[in-house]
């Protein structure tokens, strides 16, 4: 059998892309056609991976940030030997297929991250590169290197136009992430046509200013030149951008180099002309045996992993405790001392019974949990002193020496997407903080964490008008409601130190999605007169204080700083002979997942309900019904001390009590 040439291998990617897009009558053929030679150079000559084990710990990571060109990676996975058959490619963009319109993490073997929203794959790659350096510094020993891989990312003009690319690439350059290599598909075309009318940046100069190595220009259709650039980048001391000049839709006689090749099938006639131009005589989805043989990475992938296994065996013999810890972290298991740490934190909080801001309670919980969770990695978007996301003994990350704390700078979106990359890499549990109002800047990265079911923990402080004088620009109103409606995201707004501790515990223990922990700036009292159990707190909503006679006439539901207000209203109503139950509901989504009998015990049918929260009122109609009452905030705030604002907007004992009386009437 004659060996296939690199051109034949690249052309196989091209025709698979155009055939799949044509069959689906939907998709983006131009990018896979343009980047096929770059893909051949990387995947066949440099990328260290094992199709037989997509989760091998020390594999190189590959991210397709310009994920609209998903047929490129599907073709690569199929040809190189992953469990993705030709029938899967034929089912491109069809219901329940392994080849959806954009690559999806945990759906298709070999896909490292979900991409599609442009720029976020690049940000995830920065997080993966940070994770590699963190784990290398923690686990590698002289003569024993078990963490030693690169992160590669393909990206296009759209990724670089998105603002997140500036946030994350600036940070990557500052951190000196030498194991990060980005290959830029510089084809000058986006959906609206030639980008020179709206994207005239000097991209090489931009990245040099960030502190990156830049290799430019490189002919993206010369696989040997691309391979040489990758080899040079692998020896660099900083992150590297390889600028590859390409033609979108390479090989299409009528559409190459134009926006017509970007996001629509080529059409049967043009596909036939393209096959002729490429010298490809095979039928749709037919790949010659010599091409499969040229792409097959299974043997060399297995050999690379076996070599690592031998080295890890030697490492385990020399450092058994470190090896066991490494394997635990890769498996995502909590440490053996976790239950004891939870019990100790619970006891500590109950003993102290402190009246403090829940952001401070959060910091106390971080300090306690970080001591037993070496995988817990923190950070803040330039608000460490306000978010209180640091802890005693933590060390700021350095690419050479590691560390567990990241100063992200004023980069909320970039921070959140980098956190997702840290989580995707494995071995780490990331959290990062900013003000709740700036969750809007980061929202799409939070959404991607929820979509991918990652364990990222988003810490938001300054949760209401209670932050005071900074005014309406910084006072979140609609943010809690908007986050709560995001599928898969658990939002916690604790009322005191004990609820804050359990919000952290539940976020760490969760293995099927992200959590948003929302904390106050102002001090909140410890809710000392309740016999709350840890099991109650884990349920997201529970009876905090029953009516004195055990026969409530109404139910008050509250979260965060408004729980104490609800308790005061309960006492005031009791003086008038009105018995009220107070329910604390720090997490609506967690409460919604509880069994129906628990929900009915907490919120009995037939009792009028009143909800109190210093935020948008709409969501609470779900719990109080049309006949219930909600005391919320459906307008923007004002600049004034917190006490004056709560009074101005009617968060008072008198108003809450009046709402209960009104509901009863």
């Amino acid at each position: 059998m004659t060996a296939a040439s690199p051109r034949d291998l690249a052309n196989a990617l091209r025709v698979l892309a155009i055939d799949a897009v044509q069959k689906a009558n939907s998709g983006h053929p131009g990018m896979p056609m343009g980047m096929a030679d770059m893909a051949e150079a990387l995947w066949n000559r440099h990328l260290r991976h094992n199709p037989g084990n997509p989760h091998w710990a020390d594999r190189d990571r590959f991210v397709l940030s310009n994920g609209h060109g998903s047929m490129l990676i599907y073709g690569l996975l199929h040809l190189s030997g992953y469990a993705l058959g030709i029938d899967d490619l034929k089912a491109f963009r069809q219901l329940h297929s392994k080849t959806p319109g954009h690559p999806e993490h945990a759906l298709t073997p070999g896909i490292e991250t979900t991409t599609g929203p442009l720029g976020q794959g690049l940000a995830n790659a920065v997080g993966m590169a940070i994770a590699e350096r963190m784990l290398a510094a923690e686990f590698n020993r002289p003569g024993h290197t078990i963490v030693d891989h690169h992160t590669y990312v393909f990206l296009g003009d759209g990724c670089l136009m998105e603002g997140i690319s500036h946030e994350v690439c600036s940070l990557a350059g500052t951190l000196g992430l030498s194991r990060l290599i980005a290959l830029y598909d510089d084809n000058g075309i986006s959906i609206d046509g030639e980008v020179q009318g709206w994207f005239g940046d000097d991209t090489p100069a931009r990245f040099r200013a960030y502190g990156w190595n830049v290799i430019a220009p490189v002919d993206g259709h010369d696989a040997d030149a691309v391979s040489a650039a990758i080899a040079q980048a692998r020896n660099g001391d900083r992150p590297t951008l390889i600028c590859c000049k390409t033609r979108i839709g390479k090989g299409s006689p009528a559409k190459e180099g134009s926006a017509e090749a970007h996001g629509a099938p080529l059409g049967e006639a043009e596909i036939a002309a393209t096959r002729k131009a490429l010298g490809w005589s095979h039928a749709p989805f037919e790949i010659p045996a010599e091409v499969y043989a040229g792409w097959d990475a299974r043997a060399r992938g297995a050999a690379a992993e076996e070599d690592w296994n031998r080295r890890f065996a030697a490492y385990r013999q020399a450092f058994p405790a470190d090896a066991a810890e490494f394997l635990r972290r890769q498996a995502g298991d909590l440490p053996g001392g976790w239950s004891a740490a939870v019990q100790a934190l619970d006891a500590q909080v109950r003993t102290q019974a402190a009246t403090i801001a829940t952001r401070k309670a959060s910091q106390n919980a971080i300090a306690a949990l970080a001591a037993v969770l070496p995988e817990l990695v923190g950070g803040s978007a330039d608000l460490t002193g306000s978010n209180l996301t640091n802890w005693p003994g933590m060390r700021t990350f350095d690419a050479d020496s590691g560390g567990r704390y990241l100063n992200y700078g004023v980069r909320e979106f970039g921070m959140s997407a980098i956190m997702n990359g840290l989580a995707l890499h494995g071995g780490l549990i990331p959290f990062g903080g900013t003000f709740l109002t700036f969750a809007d800047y980061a929202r799409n990265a939070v959404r991607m964490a929820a979509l991918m079911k990652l364990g990222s923990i988003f810490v938001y402080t300054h949760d209401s008008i209670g932050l005071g004088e900074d005014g309406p620009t910084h006072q979140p109103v609609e943010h809690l409601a908007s986050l709560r409606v995001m599928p898969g995201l658990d939002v916690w707004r604790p009322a005191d130190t004990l609820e804050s501790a359990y919000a952290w515990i539940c976020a760490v223990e969760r293995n099927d999605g992200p959590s948003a922990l929302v904390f106050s700036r102002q001090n909140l009292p410890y809710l000392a007169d309740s016999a709350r159990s840890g099991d109650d707190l884990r349920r997201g909503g529970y009876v905090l204080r029953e009516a004195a006679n055990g026969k409530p006439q109404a139910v008050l539901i509250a979260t965060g700083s408004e729980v104490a207000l609800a308790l005061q209203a309960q006492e005031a109503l009791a003086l008038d002979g009105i018995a009220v139950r107070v329910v604390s509901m720090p997490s609506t989504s967690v409460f919604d997942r509880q069994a129906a009998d628990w929900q009915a015990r907490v919120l009995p049918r037939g009792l009028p309900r009143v909800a109190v929260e210093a935020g948008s009122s709409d969501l609470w109609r779900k719990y109080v019904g049309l006949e219930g009452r909600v005391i919320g905030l459906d307008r923007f705030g004002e600049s004034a001390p917190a006490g004056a604002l709560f009074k101005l907007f009617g968060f008072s004992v008198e108003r809450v009590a009046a709402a209960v009386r009104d509901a009863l009437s």
Side-chain angles (χ1 to χ4, degrees):
M1 182 172 60
T2 304
S5 68
R7 175 180 171 81
D8 290 335
L9 301 181
N11 283 342
L13 291 171
R14 292 185 171 101
V15 296
L16 283 174
I18 61 178
D19 289 342
V21 170
Q22 186 67 30
K23 187 175 188 301
N25 195 30
S26 175
H28 300 75
M31 184 279 268
M33 298 172 74
M35 297 192 79
D37 301 296
M38 298 164 59
E40 190 280 322
L42 173 61
W43 277 63
N44 254 347
R45 312 184 197 189
H46 297 280
L47 191 70
R48 193 177 58 151
H49 64 118
N50 182 8
N53 181 11
H55 305 294
W56 168 34
D58 202 38
R59 69 192 181 278
D60 288 339
R61 269 55 170 185
F62 173 76
V63 175
L64 188 74
S65 188
N66 42 352
H68 56 273
S70 57
M71 267 310 302
L72 179 66
I73 194 166
Y74 297 148
L76 286 163
L77 294 170
H78 169 71
L79 291 170
S80 60
Y82 285 80
L84 194 70
I86 197 69
D87 287 339
D88 292 315
L89 272 57
K90 292 178 181 178
F92 178 56
R93 288 187 166 227
Q94 303 309 298
L95 184 64
H96 303 317
S97 78
K98 292 182 181 179
T99 52
H102 293 84
E104 293 188 31
H105 170 66
L107 177 64
T108 311
I111 300 294
E112 298 284 1
T113 180
T114 301
T115 55
L118 291 175
Q120 286 199 62
L122 174 58
N124 296 162
V126 172
M128 293 173 189
I130 292 172
E132 190 274 342
R133 290 292 81 197
M134 282 185 171
L135 294 170
E138 183 175 357
F139 287 102
N140 289 348
R141 300 289 182 267
H144 295 273
T145 301
I146 63 166
V147 181
D148 183 24
H149 53 268
H150 286 78
T151 300
Y152 297 96
V153 55
F154 278 8
L155 57 101
D157 291 307
C159 293
L160 293 181
M161 282 187 265
E162 290 285 359
I164 192 173
S165 70
H166 166 70
E167 294 186 27
V168 301
C169 293
S170 169
L171 182 61
T174 300
L175 294 177
L177 301 176
S178 61
R179 299 301 183 91
L180 176 63
I181 299 173
L183 289 91
Y184 166 36
D185 178 30
D186 184 10
N187 63 36
I189 297 292
S190 66
I191 293 174
D192 282 354
E194 296 184 7
V195 301
Q196 60 187 6
W198 50 86
F199 184 52
D201 297 11
D202 184 340
T203 297
R206 169 185 165 186
F207 275 75
R208 290 188 182 103
Y210 290 152
W212 286 52
N213 292 321
V214 177
I215 304 173
V218 174
D219 182 352
H221 300 305
D222 182 342
D224 291 338
V226 175
S227 178
I230 295 170
Q232 179 182 339
R234 287 172 59 89
N235 292 318
D237 59 351
R238 292 176 287 173
T240 298
L241 178 72
I242 303 173
C243 298
C244 299
K245 295 295 293 184
T246 64
R247 299 273 292 172
I248 192 171
K250 175 69 173 175
S252 170
K255 298 185 177 182
E256 177 181 316
S258 75
E260 290 184 64
H262 176 86
L266 297 184
E268 296 290 356
E270 185 61 18
I271 288 175
T274 300
R275 276 182 150 75
K276 183 177 179 180
L278 295 175
W280 190 272
S281 59
H282 309 285
F285 299 103
E286 181 181 308
I287 303 297
E290 64 270 20
V291 172
Y292 274 124
W295 272 111
D296 194 345
R298 288 173 293 184
R300 68 175 181 267
E305 183 174 358
E306 181 56 33
D307 175 68
W308 183 84
N309 287 337
R310 285 192 295 269
R311 290 188 283 111
F312 187 78
Y315 177 86
R316 178 154 45 188
Q317 186 171 7
F319 307 99
D322 292 328
E325 175 68 6
F326 181 82
L327 293 174
R328 176 190 73 79
R329 302 260 292 271
Q330 292 298 314
D333 297 331
L334 291 172
W338 173 252
S339 295
V342 168
Q343 293 171 10
L345 177 58
D346 181 296
Q348 174 188 331
V349 171
R350 292 177 191 272
T351 300
Q352 292 176 346
T355 293
I356 54 176
T358 54
R359 61 172 175 164
K360 179 60 180 176
S362 166
Q363 185 180 44
N364 293 344
I366 292 170
L369 300 181
V372 296
L373 281 175
E375 61 263 50
L376 196 63
V377 173
S380 173
D382 201 49
L383 289 170
T384 297
S386 295
N387 299 148
L388 303 184
T389 42
N390 55 349
W391 66 95
M394 64 86 183
R395 188 160 56 87
T396 301
F397 171 74
D398 176 270
D400 295 321
S401 59
R404 297 170 62 186
Y405 195 83
L406 285 154
N407 292 114
Y408 287 101
V410 188
R411 301 180 177 101
E412 297 89 356
F413 190 9
M415 172 185 72
S416 302
I418 287 172
M419 286 166 53
N420 291 343
L422 291 165
L424 286 159
H425 181 278
L428 301 170
I429 300 174
F431 71 89
T434 186
F435 291 161
L436 177 58
T437 192
F438 300 141
D440 282 350
Y441 280 157
R443 184 176 180 85
N444 203 263
V446 178
R447 182 178 186 270
M448 295 302 289
L451 194 154
M452 291 189 276
K453 300 181 179 180
L454 303 180
S456 301
I457 301 173
F458 303 98
V459 176
Y460 300 125
T461 68
H462 297 57
D463 67 342
S464 71
I465 54 173
L467 68 91
E469 292 84 347
D470 277 338
T473 60
H474 284 52
Q475 291 165 5
V477 174
E478 74 279 19
H479 300 73
L480 284 163
S482 69
L483 288 171
R484 284 174 178 144
V485 298
M486 186 179 293
L489 176 68
D490 282 349
V491 180
W492 292 83
R493 187 179 183 233
D496 72 347
T497 53
L498 191 61
E499 287 190 358
S500 297
Y502 274 91
W504 266 105
I505 290 164
C506 291
V508 168
E509 290 177 344
R510 191 177 185 205
N511 59 12
D512 62 352
S515 301
L517 311 185
V518 183
F519 299 113
S520 72
R521 176 179 184 256
Q522 75 274 28
N523 289 345
L524 302 183
Y526 181 74
L527 307 176
D529 60 343
S530 171
R532 298 170 287 172
S533 71
D535 286 343
D536 289 346
L537 292 158
R538 292 175 187 272
R539 293 179 183 269
Y542 63 98
V543 178
L544 172 63
R545 188 193 294 170
E546 185 57 281
N549 62 3
K551 297 179 180 180
Q553 299 166 257
V555 178
L556 268 172
I557 311 168
T559 78
S561 51
E562 288 70 69
V563 173
L565 175 62
L567 291 172
Q568 293 170 6
Q570 180 195 44
E571 294 170 357
L573 288 163
L575 295 176
D576 292 338
I578 300 174
V580 174
R581 168 185 290 180
V582 174
V583 168
S584 179
M585 194 177 291
S587 179
T588 57
S589 59
V590 175
F591 179 76
D592 289 348
R593 290 199 297 271
Q594 302 307 306
D597 63 338
W598 176 264
Q599 295 178 3
R601 270 193 285 164
V602 175
L603 300 176
R605 294 184 183 276
L607 291 183
R609 303 171 188 172
V610 176
V612 188
E613 185 174 65
S616 177
S617 64
D618 284 355
L619 175 136
W620 291 106
R621 297 293 172 189
K622 172 181 178 181
Y623 299 99
V624 304
L626 294 177
E627 71 282 359
R629 304 291 184 271
V630 180
I631 296 175
L633 186 63
D634 294 307
R635 54 151 290 185
F636 295 118
E638 301 280 355
S639 180
L645 292 175
F646 279 110
K647 181 178 180 180
L648 172 68
F649 293 118
F651 291 94
S652 64
V653 171
E654 294 76 16
R655 187 178 177 209
V656 175
V660 172
R661 293 189 184 96
D662 188 48
L664 286 168
S665 68

